Amino acid sequence: MSRPSTRGKNKRPKVDNNVDMPSEVLRKIHAQDEITEEDINKLYNIWKPVCQGCRVNSKDNPNCFCGLIPSANGSRKAGLWKKMSEILHALGPDPSMDIRASFEFPAGLTNLGATCYANSILQCLYMNALFRRGVFSIEPDLLKQQPVLNQLMWLFAQLSLSKRSFVESEPFIKTLELDNEVQQDSHEFLTLLLSLLERCLSHSKNAAVRTIVQDLFRGGVSHVTTCSKCGNDSEVSSKVEDFYELELNVQGLKSLKDSLDDYLNVEELSGDNQYFCDSCKQRVDATRSIKLRSLPEVLNIQLKRCVFLPKTTTRKKITSAFCFPRELDMKERLSDPAQGDLVYVLSAVLIHKGNAVNTGHYIAHIKDEKTGLWWRFDDENVSKLGYHPFGEGSSKQSRNGQSDAPSQSMNSDVETFTSNDAYMLMYSLRRSKMNCLKNPINGESMDKADFTGLSDDISVPSDLSEEIKNSNAIIIDVCDQYKLGKDNVVDEIMKRREEVRSILSEAPVQSNDEPYFWISTNWLREWSDNVTSPPTLDNSTIQCDHGKLPFSKVSFAKRLSARAWSKLLTLYNGGPVFSNQDYCKACVMDSAHNLVSGESYRDKRKLMKQFADAALSGNCTDGTYYISKAWLQQWVKRKVLDAPCEADAGPTVPICCPHGQLLPEQAPGAKRLLVPKNLWLFFQEDAVRVKPDDSIGCPTFHMDSEQCSHCYNEIYQVAGLEDSLRERKNIERRNHEKLAVAKSIPLFPQCTYYLLPSSWLAIWRGYVNASSKSISSTMEPESLDIVLDQLKCKHLRILERPLDLVYKRGTIFQRVSNTDGLTIITENDWSCFCKEWGCSEEKGISATIECPEFALNNVDACKEISVIEEQLNSHDEANDKYDDKQLTIRTFPEVCEDCIGERASCELMRKLNYTDQDIHVVFIQGKEVPKSVLEASETSFDPDRRISKRPRKTIAGNVVNLKVSGSTSIYQLKMMIWESLGVVKENQILHKGHAKIEGESGTLADFNIFPGDTLWVRDSKIHENRDIADEIGERVDPQHTQEGFRGTLLTADFSSQVVEKEPVV
């Protein structure tokens, strides 16, 4: 059994009908002067069947309602049938998405641009229960005086009680006067913030609150130097210094144990580094080490991942893997071992993402002390990690690139983790009951009486709690309003869709015997596709002047069943109403008449086209009327229509002069030809039909018509002027035969010559050699009187130098240029130029050639050598008697070197003051630099020349075009080359021609680098390759990088920040 064919499954069924049926019906109506019901069915396409399964709505079938709405599961890009999710998206973001699931789920902090460093530290401090309890215990009087404490408590209160999934950090950041567009170091921020809080809290009347920062974060350390001879410690060894974090080296170390060993390592002082012992009264060998005297409740460990590279004078981030334990036993690390356990538990990991030092992104992984769950804080986004610092299921490799494979440097029974980006570690002391400490840990047992200053429960102050409660109520109300609006939109959309589907299902007329109505397709489409339905039913667009439905509008209308029409009319009213009897007989009769007359016109025009073709080909023997040849050529090319068009007007307008007479054929565009009388009458009739009110739009010119005498005289007067100008130029070419063809003239010493600007001679040469077609349009040279005045400076000397002389083959010649310098001409040429271009001979600039006496006999007779031959032979061997430098030109008046130098200097500055122009950089990889590259910068730059912006390969190497300015520094240029060609900045050996470009602080203007210049660069490969992002990170904003937190509240004078008014929360 053969498989059924599915080739035409989804194709629209073809209707077997005569395409020209309306024309046949109209011819029949015109012939019989009668309209039958069958004619109406054919003209209005009523006979066509109800369409099923079309992909698009058929315009020529009034019974087709397909394509007005999509299929049952379909959708559209806009309108009523748009995807519901996209319609709801237009309502704006759902505020309920910003509500956190429960208060057990921590809230995030907004990033104001580059404040991720502050957000991470604030989250670490908030998640510490003891610190949070201390902040909430600050008395109101102190909050009124300290805006920082007030905003910090408000921030912590929102993180505790707000229903929002993230809290605005802007008030606290603004209070600290931080620049939210500048990335800072999180470690420096924590150090300065704790110092600021310590100063602010020092005014507290509550002893426990007053020392909360010291009790939680402060430890003690001593720098001990011990004499190896007497065994005594130095006097300063007994001094205990405070620390709030331990800064440990990472470079070359694999684990926290190694870093602690390195930090507490004993250093030997010997040789030149011997220590002077006060007890021994001499320089002796000694040891130096750091001793931990006491440890805080919260141990902050700063991993020093930033190192300085002396070779590149930049800083680099160390991204090597580093191992640290979940539990850290510090009992043996104290100088005086404590009694009992001294075990710290990992409570937070601050992570810096990115390879550069001054850029990147900070996030924090923090453990909830109450539940033991770890959370990932990434500004506004907070996610659960489980009971693992880097996420559950990360035993080998976590999502963040961290792993927790056991480290060999740690005890095998201690769980450890490894990270390439961990920047700070926070460990909290493990105790059976956590209380605020009054004294740092020093190995002694702690008395419970020391912790009675703060309550055991962490509660937000009642005033803040009430304010946040009101804010939460507003948030819930906004969410409810959004949900109500969303439900209303969904209900309205579903209701509209059901209405459209229901009415369209009843729309087709099943039988021609039942009554039906006509409706505008445009209105129907708008009604079925818009979210909001049209206000009223509008059929005015398909109504004719007789108030009926013309058959010409059938393609813009649909035939609707009486039931569907009744529903639409009830819902939307409107009109006009077109029933099955409202077809327009008058429009049908007019269309029939126009069709027949149009066909008659087309047949007549085709016949006239044969006469027109004969006239254009010169085969017309009975021509009696003139028309424009160009107009007739266009008329023949035009498509044959049913009636004349606008272009058919004015067949004689182009050959009619302003005086209303026949324009001479010598005038531009006045070519004409003769056409037969019947063709002319056809053209005239069409012109009158197109423009009946234009009485002079189509003047008649019989073959006996005479040309306009006024226009004839004007044309020949202009022709006479052109002949006169042509004769004048011929005379000038004969007078200056060699100059006109750009031939060099032989020069002789002790003879008098004259000088003219080379640019003026080039313009004159183009003027006298112009072809007859462009004789009147070629630019005419300026008067010599004006040109010579412009050549003289305020000292009455000349501002241009004569072109250099060359001596070859026994003859002296002058070098050639069309733009620069002064060109030598003979006395005869000068005399003729004065007569031709209006200048007195006494005003000329004279010149004589001077050369050594012994060379005078070597000068041969005159030779005519063209400019091209002169340039081709420019490298011929010169005469052995003397070189070109011995030939000089003495002018009168003399050359003004001072003014020429000043003008050249101004021109150089103008050229160097450019912006956004291209230069070319070639990456040379071979041993030899091509000569074309070395000499490329000597060529002139054309600003209008199109230049490719893409890197390309040449024989010399890769070439790249760079957009630069005269003020672009060499450093910026090298960074562009690094980005485009991949050559590290320190390895670039940059040249312009043979000159090496040194340093980085200078600009392109300092090195005379112009637009269009070609530079070349080599790769020394001395320094190792590195990412350009590292360099960019170091140079992002050197001013901000050096200033750090300067100018903010963190470094301001504390006494100036105490205020009397209560700050606005």
Side-chain angles (χ1 to χ4, degrees), residues 254-271:
K254 296 182 179 180
S255 66
L256 183 58
K257 177 181 180 301
D258 296 338
S259 295
L260 286 171
D261 291 341
D262 175 74
Y263 182 76
L264 301 174
N265 182 43
V266 178
E267 179 186 2
E268 299 289 341
L269 301 179
S270 60

Side-chain angles (χ1 to χ4, degrees), residues 21 99 185 191 223 274 318 344 423 430 494 627 800 851 879 899 960 965 986 1062:
M21 180 185 294
I99 302 297
D185 181 66
T191 301
H223 296 272
Q274 279 189 326
I318 300 173
Y344 285 85
Y423 190 64
R430 185 176 67 187
M494 298 307 295
I627 67 169
E800 295 267 2
C851 62
N879 191 282
C899 291
V960 65
S965 303
E986 293 79 18
E1062 182 178 359

Side-chain angles (χ1 to χ4, degrees), residues 652 655-663 696 699-701 705-706 708 711:
T652 56
I655 61 174
C656 181
C657 75
H659 311 100
Q661 300 181 22
L662 185 63
L663 188 65
I696 58 173
T700 303
F701 296 112
S705 300
E706 294 183 357
C708 180
C711 296

Side-chain angles (χ1 to χ4, degrees), residues 74 78-91 485-501 527-533:
L80 178 63
W81 306 98
K82 193 176 180 180
K83 290 182 179 179
M84 188 63 74
S85 58
E86 296 178 2
I87 294 176
L88 297 178
H89 180 73
L91 299 177
K486 174 182 174 182
D487 293 341
N488 291 337
V489 169
V490 172
D491 292 343
E492 181 65 23
I493 293 294
M494 298 307 295
K495 181 180 178 182
R496 282 278 294 119
R497 288 180 178 179
E498 181 60 29
E499 173 194 323
V500 171
R501 290 188 185 278
W527 164 78
S528 63
D529 202 42
N530 287 355
V531 175
T532 57
S533 57

Side-chain angles (χ1 to χ4, degrees), residues 453 672 726 889 913:
R672 57 181 180 266
R726 189 178 295 106
I889 301 175
N913 188 25

Side-chain angles (χ1 to χ4, degrees), residues 262-541:
D262 175 74
Y263 182 76
L264 301 174
N265 182 43
V266 178
E267 179 186 2
E268 299 289 341
L269 301 179
S270 60
D272 294 339
N273 293 329
Q274 279 189 326
Y275 158 72
F276 184 83
C277 180
D278 292 334
S279 299
C280 300
K281 303 300 182 183
Q282 61 179 345
R283 298 182 66 86
V284 295
D285 292 343
T287 60
R288 178 182 296 167
S289 63
I290 296 176
K291 301 292 185 182
L292 294 176
R293 300 301 187 184
S294 60
L295 293 175
E297 178 71 27
V298 179
L299 180 60
N300 293 331
I301 297 177
Q302 171 65 31
L303 303 180
K304 298 167 66 175
R305 287 193 176 273
C306 177
V307 296
F308 181 77
L309 303 178
K311 288 185 177 180
T312 60
T313 66
T314 58
R315 295 186 300 164
K316 180 180 181 180
K317 178 185 174 183
I318 300 173
T319 57
S320 58
F322 189 78
C323 182
F324 48 92
R326 185 186 289 271
E327 295 183 355
L328 180 64
D329 190 354
M330 294 293 290
K331 179 178 180 180
E332 301 300 327
R333 300 290 184 177
L334 281 174
S335 57
D336 299 322
Q339 300 294 328
D341 294 335
L342 193 57
V343 178
Y344 285 85
V345 180
L346 184 66
S347 59
V349 180
L350 191 69
I351 296 172
H352 177 263
K353 292 289 186 180
N355 296 323
V357 175
N358 292 324
T359 58
H361 183 59
Y362 288 98
I363 62 174
H365 293 190
I366 309 174
K367 187 178 72 171
D368 188 335
E369 298 176 2
K370 183 177 180 181
T371 63
L373 292 173
W374 282 83
W375 300 87
R376 184 178 188 270
F377 293 86
D378 185 359
D379 293 329
E380 297 91 345
N381 302 313
V382 180
S383 55
K384 183 189 294 186
L385 297 174
Y387 293 95
H388 191 285
F390 299 108
E392 299 292 347
S394 58
S395 58
K396 293 184 177 180
Q397 192 74 23
S398 78
R399 294 184 299 272
N400 297 309
Q402 279 64 240
S403 65
D404 66 336
S407 172
Q408 298 297 326
S409 61
M410 311 298 293
N411 296 332
S412 58
D413 57 343
V414 177
E415 186 180 7
T416 61
F417 314 102
T418 302
S419 172
N420 298 84
D421 295 316
Y423 190 64
M424 182 184 295
L425 306 175
M426 288 189 177
Y427 283 90
S428 299
L429 186 64
R430 185 176 67 187
R431 289 183 177 276
S432 58
K433 184 175 182 180
M434 300 292 290
N435 289 300
C436 183
L437 301 181
K438 188 174 182 179
N439 297 306
I441 301 168
N442 56 11
E444 299 178 0
S445 60
M446 307 304 298
D447 189 352
K448 186 177 180 181
D450 295 334
F451 315 132
T452 57
L454 297 175
S455 61
D456 291 338
D457 297 330
I458 303 176
S459 59
V460 178
S462 58
D463 57 335
L464 297 182
S465 177
E466 187 65 25
E467 186 171 351
I468 296 175
K469 181 179 179 181
N470 295 334
S471 176
N472 289 339
I474 295 175
I475 294 173
I476 296 301
D477 183 62
V478 170
C479 292
D480 293 341
Q481 292 295 329
Y482 180 88
K483 185 177 183 303
L484 179 62
K486 174 182 174 182
D487 293 341
N488 291 337
V489 169
V490 172
D491 292 343
E492 181 65 23
I493 293 294
M494 298 307 295
K495 181 180 178 182
R496 282 278 294 119
R497 288 180 178 179
E498 181 60 29
E499 173 194 323
V500 171
R501 290 188 185 278
S502 173
I503 293 178
L504 288 182
S505 66
E506 301 174 349
V509 180
Q510 302 300 331
S511 173
N512 289 338
D513 296 332
E514 65 177 279
Y516 59 85
F517 293 84
W518 295 92
I519 189 170
S520 168
T521 304
N522 291 335
W523 187 91
L524 192 65
R525 192 183 301 277
E526 185 180 355
W527 164 78
S528 63
D529 202 42
N530 287 355
V531 175
T532 57
S533 57
T536 57
L537 194 153
D538 183 13
N539 270 346
S540 61
T541 57

Side-chain angles (χ1 to χ4, degrees), residues 728 732 764 767 780-781 783-784 833-839:
R728 174 189 166 188
E732 289 194 38
W764 170 83
Y767 177 72
E780 183 177 339
S783 169
L784 277 179
F833 275 137
C834 288
K835 296 176 183 178
E836 296 159 357
W837 294 97
C839 184

